[in-house]
Amino acid sequence: MMTHTHWLTLLAVGLAASGLAGCSSSLSGHQVKDALKQAQSSKKTSGKTAKDESIIKAAQELNADGKYKKSNQKLSTINLTDLNKKGFGALKTEFFSLQKSNDKFLLKKNQGKTTGTSGTTSQASGGTTTTTPTTNHSFDGYSKYTGDYYFYNDDDGDRQQETLTIHGDGTVVQNNNDGSAFHGTATIKNSSATGVLSYDVTTGTNDTKTIDANVEIDVTWSNGEHEAYYGYTSYDDDIVLTDGNSYDGDLVNEVWMQ
């Protein structure tokens, strides 16, 4: 009888040990799966990092060769969403530093085309001609249209625009909510345009209306694109800019308020 009891006890202990081993094996399996997922994720991130590094290197070489527009085009192939992820901090810093450098040189070129050149011209024996570029004085007398603007329809998550700054010398900077920025140069003139589409900004809604413009501001962006804004004063005496174009059916493409 004691021998039979001893045998049952050993069997129970063996079954318990087997059960614990099964649990341990199952837990180890989960850990292995998690480790594999982490490794795959790390490998995927590493692959994207290497790809973006090669793009930025190519963009740096184009910048060094003075091909600023092509350098920006190369940068545009990078997904900005990736740059906000963990492990992309250094690439993100280099991306915007390089973009800023490209835009700076492109802006200088466009300013020269927009404002023209003036100054004395002298020819030495070698036939060298020198000119001094002028400053854009088109905003003289229009100072109320310079300064900082915010994007009126900024509650629309699909729009990247955030702020717009027009400086007295005509330089323009548009900052976007993804951290990028557009640079350009602008001129201003009186306008008698009527029936221009805008928002009724005094209501704080997206109700549209048509306005009579007081001025037209023409911007040449660093990528060579042109854009026109129509400026006017709202009923609340706020300075407003609109491009007058419809967006998504019943909205206005771009409206900015000081």
Side-chain angles (χ1 to χ4, degrees):
M1 183 71 176
M2 288 181 63
T3 303
H4 182 65
T5 304
H6 180 66
W7 179 83
L8 290 175
T9 301
L10 290 175
L11 178 61
V13 171
L15 290 172
S18 176
L20 289 173
C23 290
S24 175
S25 176
S26 175
L27 181 61
S28 177
H30 286 303
Q31 290 175 334
V32 170
K33 287 181 180 179
D34 289 342
L36 285 173
K37 286 181 179 179
Q38 290 177 359
Q40 290 172 348
S41 176
S42 177
K43 184 177 180 181
K44 189 175 181 181
T45 299
S46 177
K48 286 184 177 180
T49 303
K51 180 181 178 181
D52 289 345
E53 283 178 345
S54 66
I55 291 174
I56 287 179
K57 182 179 179 180
Q60 287 173 331
E61 292 173 353
L62 289 168
N63 173 276
D65 291 339
K67 300 174 181 178
Y68 309 113
K69 187 174 182 179
K70 288 186 177 181
S71 178
N72 269 346
Q73 289 173 341
K74 179 65 70 173
L75 289 176
S76 69
T77 62
I78 292 179
N79 187 344
L80 288 177
T81 303
D82 289 340
L83 297 184
N84 291 321
K85 295 178 181 178
K86 184 178 179 181
F88 286 80
L91 287 179
K92 182 177 181 180
T93 299
E94 182 58 33
F95 176 94
F96 289 116
S97 176
L98 187 55
Q99 185 185 63
K100 185 177 180 180
S101 173
N102 290 331
D103 288 344
K104 179 180 178 181
F105 286 106
L106 288 169
L107 179 58
K108 286 182 178 179
K109 287 185 177 181
N110 283 320
Q111 279 184 317
K113 292 178 182 178
T114 303
T115 61
T117 58
S118 67
T120 58
T121 301
S122 60
Q123 289 192 328
S125 57
T128 302
T129 303
T130 59
T131 59
T132 304
T134 63
T135 301
N136 180 0
H137 294 290
S138 70
F139 279 84
D140 290 352
Y142 294 94
S143 59
K144 72 177 183 178
Y145 291 100
T146 63
D148 298 323
Y149 294 80
Y150 70 89
F151 192 60
Y152 182 77
N153 196 26
D154 61 357
D155 59 340
D156 185 344
D158 294 333
R159 311 304 304 278
Q160 66 175 343
Q161 297 92 334
E162 190 169 51
T163 63
L164 183 76
T165 301
I166 301 177
H167 298 280
D169 63 355
T171 55
V172 182
V173 180
Q174 176 184 311
N175 289 300
N176 304 311
N177 51 38
D178 61 4
S180 64
F182 301 147
H183 299 263
T185 182
T187 58
I188 188 171
K189 62 184 178 182
N190 289 330
S191 174
S192 57
T194 60
V196 181
L197 185 65
S198 185
Y199 286 122
D200 186 353
V201 297
T202 60
T203 65
T205 67
N206 287 341
D207 293 339
T208 58
K209 60 179 291 186
T210 56
I211 59 93
D212 295 339
N214 302 124
V215 297
E216 179 181 331
I217 298 174
D218 297 299
V219 180
T220 301
W221 296 107
S222 59
N223 63 0
E225 294 182 0
H226 295 265
E227 192 165 13
Y229 296 105
Y230 298 92
Y232 65 99
T233 304
S234 73
Y235 291 129
D236 290 341
D237 290 329
D238 293 313
I239 301 298
V240 184
L241 304 180
T242 176
D243 67 359
N245 298 320
S246 61
Y247 169 78
D248 198 23
D250 58 349
L251 300 175
V252 186
N253 186 46
E254 288 190 28
V255 174
W256 303 86
M257 281 185 65
Q258 274 191 347

